[in-house]
Amino acid sequence: MSDKVIIFDTTLRDGEQSPGASMTKDEKVRIARQLERLKVDVIEAGFAASSEGDFQAISAVAAAVKDSIVCSLARANDKDITRAADALKAANAKRIHAFLATSPLHMAVKLRMSPEEVLEQAKRSIRFARNLAEDIEFSAEDGYRSEMDFLCRVVEGVINEGATTINIPDTVGYATPELYGDFIKTLRTRVPNSDKAVWSVHCHNDLGMAVANSLAGVKIGGARQIECTINGLGERAGNTALEEIVMALRTRKDYFDMVCGIDATQIVSASKLVSHITGFVVQPNKAVVGANAFAHTSGIHQDGILKNRDTYEIMRAEDVGWSANKIVLGKLSGRNAFKQRLQELGIAIEAEADLNEAFLRFKSLADQKSEIFDEDIIAIMSHSAAAEESEFYRFISMSQHSETGERPKSRVTFRVGDREASSEAEGNGPVDASLNAIEEIVKSGAEQLLYSVNAITSGTQSQGEVTVRLAKGGRIVNGVGTDPDIIAASAKAYLSALNKLHDPSQAKLNAQMTP
Ligand code: KIV
Ligand code: ZN
């Protein structure tokens, strides 16, 4: 049996289902390129039949990615599967991922189908999919809560029809490690043709056990594919965290005795990119990618680390890409140093004009902030001048006044289409006043669901990264803004969210709807 664990990343599909985390086409392509640098085996780029936008995004990812298999989710019916195959046309290597629920509850309440109907539909859909692609995954949705005898029949049937990967999701995060591992093992033992497919695990984190369950699925159950997301992004409590899986397999190779093809040095860049694009901040004590994951503050620990790093460290920060997280450039750095750093960060700039424009932004930031970190560069590169040019609302400048005992006032100047607008307003604090000033002109009436500020590097020198989540007309959008001045960052984030509400081409592909 192979000792290679296939890493299937579903940040762009299951991760995107997290409220407010949905992405634009360009954002998906940017993340996909980073996933490719990370060397994930399979990138699930979306759910082609869910929207025209998602179809376009999957096509764009399929065209951009060369080394990883690109996959689209589909319900187990001809229409969805055809749509998935069409979206994947440009892919070097493609996979169609069809799913159908198999638990008694889902079949009766959601699908309103009998078990026999589900069995037939599962088989029929895989037979159909095999005409369109060689690489076919079947997921038994809510598989872990399915009845064993029935699930065995479904799995045997779809393998006979040509499914090459069998995924058994713990859709609701109900499993515990030993039970889940045993469940996979029993299935593999009882399904007569089980050796004809790769077995896969897909766990949700409702009880905080997604990573442990996935690893048990591999260790006890014999699965050889793990489905996961960067930072554990996903609906409710999220999915299995890719970075934790990869580092567990690596750090405890003595126990798991398995390998995966991931380039772990790209983990931190991937984590920061996903967090920046979605606005989902990584908690400081998050394993592997949290800001404190490698920080030793207690004197005893520091002393031990200085004597021998192994005393308190089981992994090296640099092995997951933290070493890149240092001062890289400053005010006096030249264009070549900047270009080289972009290359090291895996950020491709083809046109000379784009490089010049990015360098100007870098210089302007270096004038405000003496030390420039990798995160600053990622933030600079997230907003190209061309993209900003096309935005309807665009931040120009602001001033504010706040004094103890007085209500703060703010004046914000910004572009609205091709005219300049300026307005002044009061608020509970300077941020509130600034957003009120913008609202005086825009009158969006959008409901604010979230406002969060995060220092993107350490210390008060850092740029602030602000995320604003707005809801209007049933749609939810996120706006992200960065600036050394957090009030300006807040205004930028607010305008960015308003742009997404205003401009359908900027709309998130699978915009989550308010209940
Ligand atoms: O959690 C789940 O069951 C899924 C399937 C669609 C694979 O995401
Ligand atoms: Zn899922």
Side-chain angles (χ1 to χ4, degrees):
M1 197 171 170
S2 162
D3 64 354
K4 159 116 200 261
V5 178
I6 295 165
I7 301 295
F8 175 115
D9 181 279
T10 182
T11 307
L12 301 178
R13 198 280 297 170
D14 218 350
E16 202 206 17
Q17 284 173 218
S18 191
S22 72
M23 303 157 205
T24 64
K25 177 171 98 177
D26 291 349
E27 288 167 345
K28 280 199 169 193
V29 171
R30 258 186 97 194
I31 293 178
R33 289 210 161 103
Q34 179 58 27
L35 293 173
E36 191 179 26
R37 279 191 284 277
L38 188 60
K39 297 194 182 350
V40 306
D41 299 285
V42 188
I43 298 173
E44 186 162 56
F47 182 177
S50 70
S51 69
E52 174 58 27
D54 218 19
F55 178 92
Q56 298 298 342
I58 297 166
S59 308
V61 169
V65 165
K66 295 286 161 261
D67 298 334
S68 310
I69 297 170
V70 181
C71 170
S72 169
L73 185 69
R75 278 165 298 200
N77 65 55
D78 297 2
K79 213 164 141 223
D80 270 32
I81 289 170
T82 307
R83 199 81 181 126
D86 288 346
L88 292 168
K89 274 213 170 100
N92 253 1
K94 60 169 176 271
R95 173 178 297 185
I96 297 174
H97 177 189
F99 75 98
L100 189 59
T102 51
S103 67
L105 184 64
H106 278 227
M107 290 190 292
V109 176
K110 195 180 81 175
L111 300 176
R112 294 174 200 269
M113 285 168 77
S114 70
E116 290 313 310
E117 285 168 334
V118 166
L119 173 63
E120 280 318 306
Q121 183 165 329
K123 290 197 294 190
R124 200 178 331 114
S125 67
I126 298 304
R127 198 177 314 137
F128 180 77
R130 269 314 289 255
N131 295 322
L132 303 174
E134 303 261 292
D135 186 346
I136 305 292
E137 173 165 335
F138 175 78
S139 277
E141 193 193 8
D142 206 17
Y144 180 65
R145 291 194 302 172
S146 302
E147 199 259 310
M148 180 58 77
D149 287 346
F150 175 64
L151 190 53
C152 285
R153 286 176 64 213
V154 172
V155 171
E156 183 185 354
V158 294
I159 295 178
N160 273 337
E161 297 294 348
T164 44
T165 300
I166 297 296
N167 185 39
I168 307 295
D170 177 23
T171 304
V172 291
Y174 181 68
T176 62
E178 268 191 306
L179 293 178
Y180 186 66
D182 284 342
F183 193 78
I184 305 285
K185 187 176 172 183
T186 309
L187 275 167
R188 284 188 51 246
T189 315
R190 289 191 38 192
V191 170
N193 50 2
S194 67
D195 59 327
K196 302 277 185 306
V198 173
W199 288 74
S200 167
V201 289
H202 175 116
C203 298
H204 282 264
N205 203 31
D206 299 67
L207 294 173
M209 290 189 276
V211 169
N213 289 341
S214 301
L215 290 170
V218 167
K219 179 75 182 170
I220 305 172
R224 287 295 178 266
Q225 173 176 285
I226 299 181
E227 303 200 347
C228 44
T229 60
I230 303 290
N231 300 336
L233 188 71
E235 256 182 292
R236 309 187 307 276
N239 285 62
T240 300
L242 177 145
E243 59 280 2
E244 295 178 21
I245 289 291
V246 170
M247 292 318 286
L249 290 176
R250 243 176 104 138
T251 310
R252 295 309 310 271
K253 172 110 178 46
D254 60 317
Y255 174 67
F256 291 110
D257 200 17
M258 259 168 273
V259 290
C260 67
I262 295 294
D263 176 358
T265 61
Q266 292 293 328
I267 284 179
V268 169
S269 300
S271 161
K272 286 182 187 297
L273 184 64
V274 168
S275 162
H276 178 77
I277 285 178
T278 59
F280 275 63
V281 174
V282 175
Q283 75 196 55
N285 59 332
K286 164 87 177 61
V288 184
V289 291
N292 291 351
F294 293 90
H296 300 276
T297 46
S298 103
I300 294 174
H301 287 205
Q302 284 176 347
D303 180 53
I305 289 282
L306 289 174
K307 289 179 175 138
N308 180 336
R309 287 177 73 174
D310 293 339
T311 50
Y312 289 102
E313 270 185 12
I314 57 161
M315 301 172 266
R316 299 274 186 261
E318 54 271 30
D319 290 350
V320 294
W322 277 112
S323 57
N325 179 30
K326 57 183 189 273
I327 303 168
V328 286
L329 298 169
K331 205 172 168 158
L332 300 176
S333 305
R335 203 168 159 283
N336 280 346
F338 177 66
K339 188 175 172 185
Q340 187 183 335
R341 196 61 208 143
L342 287 180
Q343 275 162 1
E344 284 162 6
L345 285 171
I347 301 174
I349 290 210
E350 265 119 53
E352 205 56 13
D354 293 344
L355 177 65
N356 292 342
E357 183 268 314
F359 186 60
L360 284 179
R361 286 161 176 272
F362 157 71
K363 279 290 184 189
S364 136
L365 181 63
D367 279 339
Q368 294 171 268
K369 185 174 184 290
S370 56
E371 298 168 334
I372 304 287
F373 295 78
D374 286 347
E375 291 85 342
D376 294 316
I377 296 179
I378 293 172
I380 290 173
M381 298 312 295
S382 297
H383 305 100
S384 74
E388 269 187 15
E389 251 337 292
S390 64
E391 282 174 351
F392 191 71
Y393 301 113
R394 211 175 131 191
F395 178 82
I396 297 176
S397 63
M398 71 185 312
S399 64
Q400 70 270 327
H401 178 81
S402 55
E403 207 173 315
T404 314
E406 275 187 25
R407 229 170 127 66
K409 272 198 192 108
S410 191
R411 167 167 289 280
V412 186
T413 306
F414 58 106
R415 273 234 326 249
V416 180
D418 43 21
R419 77 184 167 92
E420 195 172 301
S422 193
S423 169
E424 193 173 275
E426 292 186 349
N428 288 348
V431 169
D432 192 40
S434 307
L435 304 199
N436 288 344
I438 294 172
E439 204 42 43
E440 290 261 311
I441 291 173
V442 177
K443 300 196 187 328
S444 77
E447 185 192 352
Q448 266 183 48
L449 298 184
L450 173 116
Y451 170 82
S452 90
V453 193
N454 181 35
I456 69 177
T457 52
S458 54
T460 50
Q461 261 264 334
S462 168
Q463 288 199 85
E465 181 176 74
V466 173
T467 305
V468 171
R469 187 173 303 156
L470 298 181
K472 192 180 173 195
R475 282 177 61 211
I476 299 176
V477 296
N478 271 344
V480 179
T482 50
D483 198 282
D485 175 344
I486 56 164
I487 309 186
S490 307
K492 287 180 182 177
Y494 195 66
L495 289 170
S496 143
L498 289 176
N499 273 322
K500 283 167 184 158
L501 285 178
H502 173 82
D503 176 2
S505 73
Q506 278 288 301
K508 298 291 182 178
L509 300 169
N510 292 306
Q512 279 80 23
M513 308 306 262
T514 43

